[in-house]
Amino acid sequence: MAVKVYERILHLFEAEGITTLFGIPDPNFVHMFHLAEERGWNVVAPHHEESAGFMAEAVSRMTGKPAVCVGTLGPGVANLAPAMMCAKVEHSPVVFLGGQRARITEQRVRRGRIQFVRQAALFENSVKYSASIEYADQTDEVIREGLRTALNGTPGPVYIEYPQHVIQQELDVPPPVEPSAYRLVGQTAGADKVAEAVAAIRAAKQPILLVGHGVHTSRAGAQVKALADLMACPVIQTSGGTSYIEGLEDRTFSYGFSPSAVDAVVNSDLCLAIGTELGEPVHHGRRHHWAANEANRTWILVEQDPTAIGVNRSIDVPLIGDLRAIVPQLADALKDTPRTATPELDAWIRQDADRLAELAETAPSGQTPVHPARLIVEATKAFPKDGIMVRDGGATTIFGWTYSQAKPHDVIWNQNFGHLGTGLPYAVGAGVADGGRRPLMLITGDSSFQFHIAELETAARLNLPLVCVVAADYQWGLEVGVYKRTFGQGSRETGAHWSTATRLDKVAEGFGCYGEYVERDEDIAPAIKRAYASGRPGVIHVVIDPKANSEEMPSYDEYSTWAAEGH
C-alpha cells in the first residue's frame, strides 16, 4: 500500500496499541496530527513540550504500553529534554519524536541557521536509542528499533527524528506486522529456575513479596495478586511502587515507613522481588533493615534485564523475563500447594491499621495555618475510592508517605528522579489514558504546582475530573529545612520564599477551573467535595504552616538513609 512517511509512523504505533499523541502543532507534524485525529487518536496539545513528555509518561504507566510525544525542531525538542531524562531514570518507554531541518541545512557551511541544532547526538545519554529517519524506506526499521529498544531489558525512552524533506515522501509497504514479529514478547523464565524458586518459596517460613514500580507500570496487579494469595505473605511496597493491588490492601506495607514492613523485612527468610531494581530507597536489599537477618534470607528476583542480576546485591534465584509472564508461571507451580499465613501476618495487619488510625487521630488539628500532616489526613480521607492519586512536591510528599489514609490502586509520582513539577502533567496524562472516567486527585506543594500551572487550561479543555489539593507555604519547604539544619534557626534562607499574596485558586479560575481558598482543616474535605461536584477541574489552595512543613517532616531520618552511600 502507498502511504506517506508520517502515515506509516502512525500505523506502526497502532500495531503496538498506541493511539494517543501529545505535542504542540508544528509544520513537521500538522499532517500527522490531522491524520491521527481522523484515525480516532487522542491528540492532546499541552502548553509546553516538557509537559507533553510527562503526560506521555503517565499514559505509559497507566496502560503498560509505550507512549508518544512530539517536539518541533530546535526549541520544541529542547523543551522535551527534561522529560527525556526523567523517563530514562523512571524507566518509562516513551517515544520522543522530533522534527528537524532538511539535511541540506545541516551540511551547509553556514552560520546563523534558524531553529537548528544537531539534536540526535545531544540526547544519546538521556535515552536508550537516538536515531534519525534519513530515508523514507528506513521508517519501519528505525521505528521498530526504537520500540524494541524502549521495551527490551530495562524499559526506557527513545528519541527519533525525521528531517522535513522526509516526512512527506511516499512508501509502498505491506500492512504492519504484530509486535512479536520484530521484538521479544512475553518472555518466560526457564523451567529449571522456576522450579528452584518454587522449592525455595515452599521451604520458607517467613517469605515476603517486595513489589516495585514495574508491577504497576506493566499493569500486572492481578497476576501478582494471584501469587500473593498462594504465598499468604506480606506485600512490601517500594517507594516507587506505592499503588495498592486490589484485594491486598490490608497486608501491603510501605518499606521503611511502616513498622509492620520493617518487622516483616527483618524477620523474612525469603524475599521475592518483582518489578524493582533494588535501588537506594530499599537500601539495595543489603543495608539498614535488611542487614540483621541477611545470612538467613534467600533472594528471588524477577528481572527483565539480565545485566541487572547481582549488581545491587547477590541473587540466589534470578528469573529472567517479562514479569507478566513469569509471575503466572510461579502461581501455576504453587497452585496445588498454597501456603498458610503465619500468625505474624495478622499481627502486622492489625499493627498497621492501628498505626494509620493513630496518625489520623494525632495529626495536629484546629490550627491556622493548617498543619501539613492534617492536610494529608483530611485530603486522603476525601479521596474517591476508585480514584487515581498523583503526588508532587518535596515536604508534601514526605508527609504523604506517613499520614495518607487512602490506599489507591493507581499512584503516579516521580520517585527515582525526584523531578518537581511533574504532578499536574502526570494527572492530565493519567486522565487522558483513563478516558476521564475515574476521579483524579493531585496532592502537591505550591512550589511544584507552579512549574506547569498552565496545564490547568489543558485539564479544563479536556474536562477532566481532577482536583488539585495544593499545600501552600509560599516557600521551598524542603530547602528551607535544609537551610535550618545547615545554618541553624534564624539563618538566611536565600531564594527560598515568595509572595504570600499568591492565590492559586484565583489562577485556577482564570483558566476556567473551580477554585477555593482554605485556611482551616475542617474545610478541606467539604472543599474537595464541592470541587468534584462542580464538574470542572478544581484547585483547593490550602494555607499550611510553613514552620511545621520545614521542620516536622515525619520519618525524615528514614528518608535521609536513601542516599547514605553518597554523603
Side-chain angles (χ1 to χ4, degrees):
M1 60 182 182
V3 296
K4 291 187 180 292
V5 167
Y6 65 83
E7 184 175 3
R8 182 60 172 181
I9 291 173
L10 292 179
H11 293 169
L12 295 170
F13 286 146
E14 288 170 355
E16 290 278 358
I18 302 168
T19 56
T20 302
L21 177 64
F22 296 96
I24 297 173
D26 162 82
N28 285 80
F29 294 106
V30 290
H31 298 89
M32 179 181 285
F33 274 40
H34 259 188
L35 183 60
E37 186 175 56
E38 290 170 10
R39 294 180 67 84
W41 284 49
N42 276 328
V43 181
V44 179
H47 291 277
H48 195 288
E49 289 89 353
E50 184 178 6
S51 290
F54 294 144
M55 291 175 187
E57 189 187 351
V59 167
S60 176
R61 294 188 187 202
M62 289 293 296
T63 62
K65 301 173 183 177
V68 178
C69 64
V70 304
T72 184
L73 55 90
V77 171
N79 285 340
L80 287 175
M84 289 185 203
M85 298 177 195
C86 182
K88 178 74 175 294
V89 180
E90 295 291 316
H91 310 311
S92 298
V94 177
V95 179
F96 292 86
L97 288 180
Q100 182 56 291
R101 296 282 297 274
R103 282 293 178 248
I104 189 171
T105 303
E106 180 178 25
Q107 298 304 318
R108 292 284 194 189
V109 182
R110 297 287 187 271
R111 297 190 180 190
R113 288 170 286 190
I114 295 172
Q115 285 191 292
F116 175 77
V117 66
R118 291 183 175 88
Q119 296 165 170
L122 290 175
F123 304 127
E124 287 177 353
N125 291 327
S126 298
V127 294
K128 293 182 68 182
Y129 174 70
S130 182
S132 174
I133 301 174
E134 294 292 314
Y135 307 98
D137 62 5
Q138 289 182 299
T139 301
D140 282 29
E141 64 186 74
V142 172
I143 294 295
R144 285 174 178 158
E145 178 67 6
L147 291 164
R148 184 163 46 238
T149 305
L151 293 166
N152 284 353
T154 301
V158 299
Y159 172 72
I160 299 172
E161 71 179 26
Y162 51 76
Q164 286 175 322
H165 68 279
V166 172
I167 191 65
Q168 293 281 5
Q169 293 181 10
E170 284 200 348
L171 295 163
D172 187 8
V173 289
V177 297
E178 291 294 315
S180 58
Y182 61 85
R183 65 177 180 85
L184 191 61
V185 175
Q187 180 186 2
T188 56
D192 57 337
K193 286 297 181 184
V194 171
E196 188 178 349
V198 168
I201 292 168
R202 286 174 177 154
K205 300 291 190 296
Q206 289 285 4
I208 59 172
L209 272 173
L210 183 64
V211 172
H213 175 75
V215 168
H216 306 293
T217 58
S218 63
R219 315 307 293 173
Q223 293 99 313
V224 174
K225 163 71 163 58
L227 178 60
D229 286 345
L230 291 166
M231 290 180 64
C233 67
V235 175
I236 310 301
Q237 294 174 326
T238 69
S239 61
T242 52
S243 302
Y244 286 79
I245 295 172
E246 189 169 3
L248 298 177
E249 296 90 345
D250 289 348
R251 56 181 162 118
T252 298
F253 314 123
S254 177
Y255 176 82
F257 299 103
S258 163
S260 294
V262 173
D263 288 348
V265 164
V266 169
N267 287 281
S268 65
D269 60 354
L270 179 140
C271 179
L272 171 52
I274 308 173
T276 172
E277 60 188 340
L278 300 177
E280 287 184 325
V282 291
H283 305 107
H284 299 138
R286 293 186 287 113
R287 299 186 293 112
H288 210 41
H289 307 303
W290 304 100
N293 200 30
E294 168 69 11
N296 302 313
R297 187 179 298 113
T298 298
W299 278 86
I300 304 169
L301 178 63
V302 178
E303 173 57 61
Q304 189 164 273
D305 182 359
T307 67
I309 301 301
V311 174
N312 285 354
R313 65 151 296 118
S314 60
I315 301 298
D316 299 292
V317 188
L319 299 174
I320 306 301
D322 188 334
L323 69 87
R324 290 168 289 197
I326 293 175
V327 169
Q329 284 183 285
L330 294 172
D332 186 62
L334 288 166
K335 65 183 179 183
D336 294 329
T337 55
R339 295 180 53 85
T340 301
T342 64
E344 289 84 355
L345 179 57
D346 283 340
W348 289 328
I349 290 172
R350 289 193 301 272
Q351 179 186 30
D352 202 60
D354 291 345
R355 175 186 69 93
L356 289 176
E358 182 180 3
L359 287 167
E361 181 68 26
T362 59
S365 60
Q367 65 182 59
T368 301
V370 175
H371 195 283
R374 178 51 57 183
L375 164 65
I376 297 296
V377 168
E378 298 303 322
T380 54
K381 279 185 174 180
F383 176 73
K385 187 175 182 181
D386 61 338
I388 300 168
M389 176 68 77
V390 184
R391 295 180 181 140
D392 200 1
T396 302
T397 296
I398 293 175
F399 274 99
W401 289 331
T402 296
Y403 283 94
S404 176
Q405 301 294 301
K407 296 188 175 183
H409 298 141
D410 284 296
V411 177
I412 302 179
W413 76 291
N414 192 263
Q415 180 260 312
N416 270 349
F417 206 35
H419 196 312
L420 299 182
T422 55
L424 185 52
Y426 276 173
V428 171
V432 170
D434 178 64
R437 291 181 292 272
R438 295 164 61 192
L440 300 121
M441 180 180 285
L442 166 62
I443 299 181
T444 177
D446 53 350
S447 52
S448 302
F449 188 61
Q450 294 179 74
F451 272 67
H452 294 291
I453 199 168
E455 303 311 338
L456 284 173
E457 188 283 325
T458 311
R461 186 186 344 136
L462 299 174
N463 197 31
L464 296 178
L466 166 65
V467 173
C468 307
V469 182
V470 185
D473 62 352
Y474 313 102
Q475 64 183 15
W476 297 97
L478 202 60
E479 287 66 32
V480 169
V482 172
Y483 270 124
K484 290 177 179 179
R485 288 188 297 275
T486 303
F487 300 111
Q489 290 285 346
S491 64
R492 295 191 311 277
E493 294 158 3
T494 307
H497 299 267
W498 53 82
S499 171
T500 56
T502 303
R503 287 288 298 270
L504 301 174
D505 57 314
K506 297 298 183 184
V507 174
E509 290 173 355
F511 281 119
C513 301
Y514 179 88
E516 195 161 336
Y517 182 84
V518 171
E519 295 181 291
R520 303 186 306 170
D521 50 35
E522 63 265 33
D523 295 332
I524 295 172
I528 291 171
K529 184 177 181 180
R530 288 189 290 270
Y532 280 122
S534 74
R536 295 175 285 157
V539 173
I540 312 301
H541 178 125
V542 183
V543 184
I544 63 167
D545 181 354
K547 182 176 174 64
N549 202 44
S550 61
E551 297 180 11
E552 299 177 20
M553 285 170 285
S555 306
Y556 189 82
D557 288 345
E558 177 72 22
Y559 167 67
S560 65
T561 65
W562 287 7
E565 289 186 332
H567 290 276

